[in-house]
Amino acid sequence: MTWLIRFGVSMEKQLLERFDRILQKEGYTSRSEAIRDLIRKNIVEGEWEHGETVAGSIMLVYNHHQRELLEKIMDIQHDFHDVIISTQHVHMDEDNCLEIIVVKGKVEKIKNIYNALTALKGVKHTSLSRATTGKKI
Amino acid sequence: MTWLIRFGVSMEKQLLERFDRILQKEGYTSRSEAIRDLIRKNIVEGEWEHGETVAGSIMLVYNHHQRELLEKIMDIQHDFHDVIISTQHVHMDEDNCLEIIVVKGKVEKIKNIYNALTALKGVKHTSLSRATTGKKI
Amino acid sequence: MTWLIRFGVSMEKQLLERFDRILQKEGYTSRSEAIRDLIRKNIVEGEWEHGETVAGSIMLVYNHHQRELLEKIMDIQHDFHDVIISTQHVHMDEDNCLEIIVVKGKVEKIKNIYNALTALKGVKHTSLSRATTGKKI
Amino acid sequence: MTWLIRFGVSMEKQLLERFDRILQKEGYTSRSEAIRDLIRKNIVEGEWEHGETVAGSIMLVYNHHQRELLEKIMDIQHDFHDVIISTQHVHMDEDNCLEIIVVKGKVEKIKNIYNALTALKGVKHTSLSRATTGKKI
């Protein structure tokens, strides 16, 4: 069972008004929810900075015509199978594939697989996206 | 057919040695590939900054027990179906889901769906990951 | 005169406890102040994203032995004198200078001067740091 | 004496053309210089990630009317005098000051002073800007 706590926050009137205008523009219906989101974002950044257990995703854009690239991508994924949850594949056009690998584990290990995939010839772009396991936030 | 061009780059000896050491550590076997990666990363950042047509992904971590949240997430995705390519869903634990939405379209529209999903109550964390369609790079 | 408003925020007990632990570690003595900081950070990011009038700084590390570099840096600064407030110069070692230029103006113009300085030969590193005029936050 | 090395880089024609167009727009007159800049940026990011000795700056925007704030900012700076090189102060308007502190030292210590200044009541915005001592790049 989740236990809610309510507490008071004081703020300059003009700061609060400016924040409320942003929330309205972004579609928030609750000021508390927006503040919780800022706090959770701050926590997740800390999880990554301090090398904790996190979730995230690695996105690759690559040319599948590159010789032996598919095998190399598959090999690396098997080397790191214990941090990989699943993958999703999109055929962008005749040449380009986009693949997303959902990962969960220690930050250091996730950065290692990210580097290994980035260094492959034929992989045009990689990005590492930081999320959280959602536990305790 | 891809047409390769070869050109010369000059660099201070100690800068090049330091770069080479990083490449070795990150697993690169080709200096050209590492330089192409830096250039492509620079191009992709520009595509996002200038609001071009891009590919990317939106990652959500949410509590699926939150009342009506699944319906709201589904509704928003249908409103933006023309920029969504596919989604992937992971059951993190009893409470938390991780969902990744692959998107392709104008930067502005992608930011709109990102904001709409972020503002939902029960969505604990969102992150927007920047990639490219891979065309022309 | 600043007008303070007090309002209530509700939050899951474990989220609040985790936030409080971070605040203690970072040296905050007031939860309200930490939340105001998160909100102001969010506002400042928006000012930059939406191209408003901002304050910031451009940091350069350069080799002052590079022929004509000092003249070029000076020329560019004069071209943009209306967005430059002041500069600060540090002699890092025999070769390297670090210079910080405080800027205030429209985001686009600040990015233009940043690009112009970055492109100079002999300028080894530049970074653009985002702040705010402080008005209305 | 700096020792220059020249080496060859191969690249797809359309990638190189796209890169050249960006360089022209940003004001670069030399492709080598642009590539050196990308490499140096990559090295500097690594210096910060691996906790090495770096240079940088901390920018504060604060309300100087806040009771005892000036004393507290001064106290913190003295506690960290061994990583502070110099400071620069700008009077933004009647209420707001912008102060930039040039720092040089281990990443961890720089983050500590950054956190201590950020947590102060009356400090509205802080940003940490990453540069390099310029040695060996």
Side-chain angles (χ1 to χ4, degrees):
Chain A
M1 188 51 211
T2 316
W3 194 352
L4 280 181
I5 289 183
R6 194 168 175 85
F7 60 95
V9 172
S10 61
M11 200 164 293
E12 298 83 353
K13 186 169 176 286
Q14 67 173 8
L15 177 60
L16 185 59
E17 286 173 351
R18 199 161 169 196
F19 185 51
D20 283 346
R21 278 198 300 276
I22 292 177
L23 300 193
Q24 197 179 3
K25 206 178 138 197
E26 293 185 349
Y28 280 98
T29 54
S30 149
R31 201 191 278 152
S32 278
E33 173 64 10
I35 289 175
R36 286 191 300 263
D37 273 1
L38 290 175
I39 288 174
R40 283 186 294 238
K41 193 179 162 203
N42 189 256
I43 289 174
V44 173
E45 286 168 3
E47 289 179 344
W48 279 82
E49 192 174 338
H50 301 120
E52 297 175 19
T53 294
V54 297
S57 65
I58 295 170
M59 192 161 28
L60 313 175
V61 177
Y62 61 87
N63 185 333
H64 67 95
H65 294 309
Q66 177 74 36
R67 216 169 61 85
E68 296 181 357
L69 180 57
L70 293 173
E71 290 78 0
K72 285 177 187 164
I73 290 176
M74 195 61 85
D75 283 349
I76 291 173
Q77 293 195 27
H78 276 278
D79 289 345
F80 289 91
H81 70 272
D82 54 328
V83 295
I84 294 181
I85 295 180
S86 69
T87 70
Q88 177 180 12
H89 189 104
V90 174
H91 308 292
M92 295 294 282
D93 58 32
E94 212 179 302
D95 300 316
N96 294 294
C97 297
L98 185 153
E99 189 161 316
I100 298 193
I101 305 165
V102 180
V103 289
K104 180 184 168 185
K106 288 280 173 193
V107 170
E108 198 190 343
K109 202 153 190 181
I110 290 172
K111 286 189 176 167
N112 286 343
I113 177 172
Y114 175 73
N115 283 340
L117 292 165
T118 302
L120 291 175
K121 195 172 169 179
V123 172
K124 295 175 166 188
H125 181 78
T126 53
S127 59
L128 174 59
S129 187
R130 302 171 167 209
T132 173
T133 63
K135 276 194 201 306
K136 288 182 280 175
I137 68 168
Chain B
M1 188 49 212
T2 317
W3 193 351
L4 279 182
I5 290 183
R6 193 166 177 86
F7 60 95
V9 173
S10 62
M11 200 164 296
E12 298 83 351
K13 186 171 177 286
Q14 66 173 10
L15 178 59
L16 185 59
E17 286 173 350
R18 201 163 168 193
F19 185 50
D20 284 345
R21 276 197 302 276
I22 292 177
L23 301 192
Q24 197 179 4
K25 207 178 134 195
E26 292 184 349
Y28 279 98
T29 54
S30 149
R31 202 190 276 153
S32 277
E33 172 63 9
I35 288 174
R36 289 192 297 265
D37 273 1
L38 289 175
I39 288 174
R40 285 187 292 239
K41 193 179 160 202
N42 190 254
I43 290 174
V44 174
E45 286 168 3
E47 290 179 342
W48 279 82
E49 192 173 337
H50 302 121
E52 296 174 20
T53 295
V54 296
S57 65
I58 296 170
M59 191 163 26
L60 313 175
V61 177
Y62 60 87
N63 185 333
H64 68 95
H65 295 309
Q66 177 74 35
R67 217 169 60 85
E68 295 182 357
L69 180 57
L70 293 173
E71 290 79 0
K72 285 176 187 164
I73 289 176
M74 195 61 85
D75 283 350
I76 290 173
Q77 293 196 26
H78 277 276
D79 289 346
F80 288 91
H81 70 271
D82 55 328
V83 296
I84 294 180
I85 296 180
S86 69
T87 68
Q88 177 180 12
H89 189 104
V90 175
H91 307 293
M92 295 293 282
D93 59 32
E94 211 179 302
D95 300 316
N96 294 294
C97 297
L98 186 153
E99 190 161 316
I100 298 193
I101 305 165
V102 180
V103 289
K104 181 183 169 185
K106 289 280 175 192
V107 170
E108 197 189 345
K109 202 153 189 180
I110 289 172
K111 286 190 178 169
N112 285 343
I113 177 173
Y114 175 72
N115 283 340
L117 291 166
T118 301
L120 290 176
K121 195 174 169 178
V123 173
K124 293 176 167 188
H125 182 77
T126 54
S127 58
L128 175 58
S129 187
R130 300 168 170 211
T132 171
T133 64
K135 276 193 202 307
K136 289 181 280 176
I137 69 168
Chain C
M1 188 49 212
T2 316
W3 193 352
L4 279 181
I5 289 183
R6 194 169 176 83
F7 61 96
V9 172
S10 61
M11 199 164 293
E12 298 83 353
K13 187 169 175 287
Q14 67 172 7
L15 178 60
L16 184 59
E17 286 173 351
R18 202 164 167 193
F19 184 51
D20 283 345
R21 276 197 302 276
I22 292 177
L23 301 193
Q24 198 180 2
K25 206 178 136 195
E26 293 185 348
Y28 279 98
T29 54
S30 148
R31 201 191 278 153
S32 278
E33 172 64 9
I35 289 175
R36 288 192 298 264
D37 273 1
L38 290 175
I39 288 174
R40 285 187 292 238
K41 193 180 161 202
N42 189 256
I43 290 174
V44 174
E45 286 169 3
E47 289 179 344
W48 279 82
E49 192 174 339
H50 301 120
E52 298 176 18
T53 295
V54 296
S57 65
I58 295 170
M59 191 161 29
L60 313 174
V61 178
Y62 61 88
N63 184 335
H64 68 95
H65 295 308
Q66 177 73 37
R67 218 170 58 86
E68 295 180 359
L69 180 56
L70 293 173
E71 290 77 1
K72 286 177 188 165
I73 290 176
M74 195 60 86
D75 283 350
I76 291 173
Q77 293 195 26
H78 276 277
D79 290 347
F80 289 91
H81 70 273
D82 53 329
V83 296
I84 294 181
I85 296 181
S86 69
T87 70
Q88 177 180 12
H89 189 103
V90 175
H91 307 293
M92 296 293 282
D93 58 32
E94 212 180 302
D95 300 316
N96 294 295
C97 297
L98 186 152
E99 190 161 315
I100 298 193
I101 306 165
V102 180
V103 289
K104 181 183 167 184
K106 288 280 174 193
V107 170
E108 197 189 343
K109 202 153 191 181
I110 290 173
K111 286 189 177 169
N112 286 343
I113 177 173
Y114 175 73
N115 283 340
L117 291 166
T118 301
L120 291 175
K121 195 173 169 179
V123 172
K124 296 177 166 187
H125 181 78
T126 53
S127 59
L128 175 58
S129 188
R130 303 170 166 210
T132 172
T133 63
K135 275 194 201 307
K136 288 182 278 174
I137 68 169
Chain D
M1 188 50 211
T2 317
W3 194 352
L4 278 182
I5 289 182
R6 194 167 174 85
F7 61 95
V9 173
S10 61
M11 201 165 295
E12 298 83 352
K13 186 169 177 287
Q14 66 173 9
L15 178 59
L16 185 59
E17 287 173 351
R18 200 161 170 197
F19 185 50
D20 283 345
R21 277 198 301 276
I22 292 178
L23 301 193
Q24 197 179 4
K25 206 177 135 197
E26 292 185 350
Y28 279 99
T29 54
S30 150
R31 202 191 277 153
S32 277
E33 172 63 8
I35 289 175
R36 289 192 297 264
D37 273 0
L38 290 176
I39 288 174
R40 284 187 292 238
K41 194 180 160 202
N42 190 255
I43 290 174
V44 174
E45 286 168 3
E47 290 179 341
W48 280 81
E49 193 174 337
H50 301 122
E52 297 175 20
T53 295
V54 296
S57 66
I58 296 170
M59 191 161 28
L60 313 175
V61 178
Y62 61 86
N63 185 333
H64 68 93
H65 294 310
Q66 177 74 35
R67 216 169 59 85
E68 297 181 356
L69 180 57
L70 293 173
E71 290 79 359
K72 285 177 188 165
I73 290 176
M74 196 59 87
D75 283 349
I76 290 173
Q77 294 196 25
H78 277 276
D79 289 346
F80 289 91
H81 70 271
D82 54 328
V83 296
I84 294 181
I85 296 181
S86 69
T87 70
Q88 177 180 13
H89 189 103
V90 175
H91 307 292
M92 296 293 281
D93 59 32
E94 210 180 303
D95 301 316
N96 294 294
C97 297
L98 186 151
E99 190 161 315
I100 298 193
I101 306 166
V102 180
V103 288
K104 181 184 169 185
K106 289 279 173 192
V107 170
E108 197 189 344
K109 202 153 189 181
I110 290 172
K111 286 190 177 168
N112 285 343
I113 178 173
Y114 175 72
N115 283 340
L117 291 165
T118 302
L120 290 176
K121 195 173 169 177
V123 173
K124 294 176 167 188
H125 181 78
T126 54
S127 59
L128 175 59
S129 188
R130 301 169 168 212
T132 172
T133 63
K135 276 195 201 306
K136 290 180 280 177
I137 68 167

